Amino acid sequence: AQTVTQSQPEMSVQEAETVTLSCTYDTSESDYYLFWYKQPPSRQMILVIRQEAYKQQNATENRFSVNFQKAAKSFSLKISDSQLGDAAMYFCAYAYSGAGSYQLTFGKGTKLSVIP
Amino acid sequence: SQTIHQWPATLVQPVGSPLSLECTVEGTSNPNLYWYRQAAGRGLQLLFYSVGIGQISSEVPQNLSASRPQDRQFILSSKKLLLSDSGFYLCAWSRLPPIAGPSYEQYFGPGTRLTVT
């Protein structure tokens, strides 16, 4: 079974600084997808960024970028120029298209605080 | 564009009472649908998923059930609530295989906060 591990329960960053959230996963598959979701205090899950495993190039979305290391099964999220609105829970997630269901496996999350 | 709705937003129910949470998706057809529960301070636990009308798969044995009476409607139910059913319930949808879209991400609704007293 696939597992996703986020080893940092909480992190903090100064406003305008850069922070990196860690995620590792375990899978025997070669074709899969990885995601970072943000859950602000409103608790609605918002997709931040996705990475296809077959792509070597790291995904970027504005101030958000990932460092995808397939061999190491590592998928970290870097937030540049942190803003107060970035304060949230961040969840790493894995998806493999087995059984036609495209289920997501989530990590337990990292709570990010942004210090003004 | 696609939107996903959940209601109610908040619910307080006594132990032993029934439950019905509804989720609907607009702007897409034949979506995969999912119900998750998030306990306080924890990650998401997949409860049920559905790949079509009347097709429900359960991930964990529990006091809850799910139904999909229409293509874009997903309902979470219980006949008798337990205290342990309290939590935040999220509905999500995703596209079908790659011919319908390039990725497998799920899109979440605003959630329902359930408190069982």
Side-chain angles (χ1 to χ4, degrees):
Chain A
Q2 295 82 14
T3 59
V4 177
T5 302
Q6 294 178 247
S7 59
Q8 307 152 315
E10 296 188 24
M11 292 195 71
S12 62
V13 62
Q14 291 281 349
E15 194 175 5
E17 296 295 312
T18 297
V19 64
T20 298
L21 308 183
S22 300
C23 172
T24 58
Y25 58 95
D26 185 24
T27 182
S28 58
E29 307 297 337
S30 60
D31 192 15
Y32 50 88
Y33 292 78
L34 296 164
F35 308 93
W36 279 98
Y37 281 87
K38 170 185 177 181
Q39 188 178 40
S42 67
R43 301 195 73 176
Q44 181 160 8
M45 298 285 283
I46 302 166
L47 177 66
V48 174
I49 199 166
R50 79 169 72 85
Q51 174 79 43
E52 292 89 340
Y54 64 86
K55 291 186 177 179
Q56 294 185 343
Q57 185 174 5
N58 289 324
T60 62
E61 287 288 340
N62 300 314
R63 297 182 294 108
F64 298 87
S65 62
V66 299
N67 183 5
F68 174 48
Q69 302 290 328
K70 190 172 185 179
K73 297 180 182 177
S74 171
F75 183 60
S76 60
L77 174 70
K78 185 172 79 171
I79 306 174
S80 304
D81 185 25
S82 297
Q83 301 175 359
L84 295 177
D86 295 332
M89 285 288 291
Y90 286 83
F91 292 93
C92 178
Y94 163 99
Y96 167 65
S97 59
S101 62
Y102 319 113
Q103 300 174 55
L104 284 178
T105 301
F106 285 87
K108 294 186 181 301
T110 296
K111 183 178 181 180
L112 178 66
S113 300
V114 180
I115 303 167
Chain B
S1 64
Q2 300 86 11
T3 56
I4 178 169
H5 304 280
Q6 283 187 246
W7 64 89
T10 305
L11 191 61
V12 181
Q13 292 282 89
V15 168
S17 64
L19 172 73
S20 181
L21 303 182
E22 189 166 343
C23 170
T24 58
V25 180
E26 296 177 354
T28 188
S29 59
N30 301 318
N32 287 348
L33 296 171
Y34 310 84
W35 277 112
Y36 289 88
R37 177 168 58 202
Q38 185 178 31
R42 296 188 176 183
L44 278 73
Q45 179 187 34
L46 179 63
L47 302 175
F48 301 95
Y49 66 90
S50 173
V51 299
I53 296 174
Q55 301 179 61
I56 308 295
S57 296
S58 174
E59 285 296 293
V60 294
Q62 58 200 312
N63 184 44
L64 303 170
S65 62
S67 62
R68 184 171 177 174
Q70 301 181 40
D71 180 45
R72 291 169 289 178
Q73 183 185 30
F74 206 23
I75 297 172
L76 184 69
S77 304
S78 174
K79 292 182 179 179
K80 290 184 178 181
L81 283 169
L82 306 172
L83 285 174
S84 58
D85 292 324
S86 293
F88 190 65
Y89 289 83
L90 286 158
C91 180
W93 73 274
S94 68
R95 294 185 180 91
L96 286 181
I99 59 172
S103 55
Y104 292 86
E105 65 260 34
Q106 294 179 13
Y107 303 93
F108 288 82
T112 295
R113 186 183 306 275
L114 172 66
T115 303
V116 182
T117 60

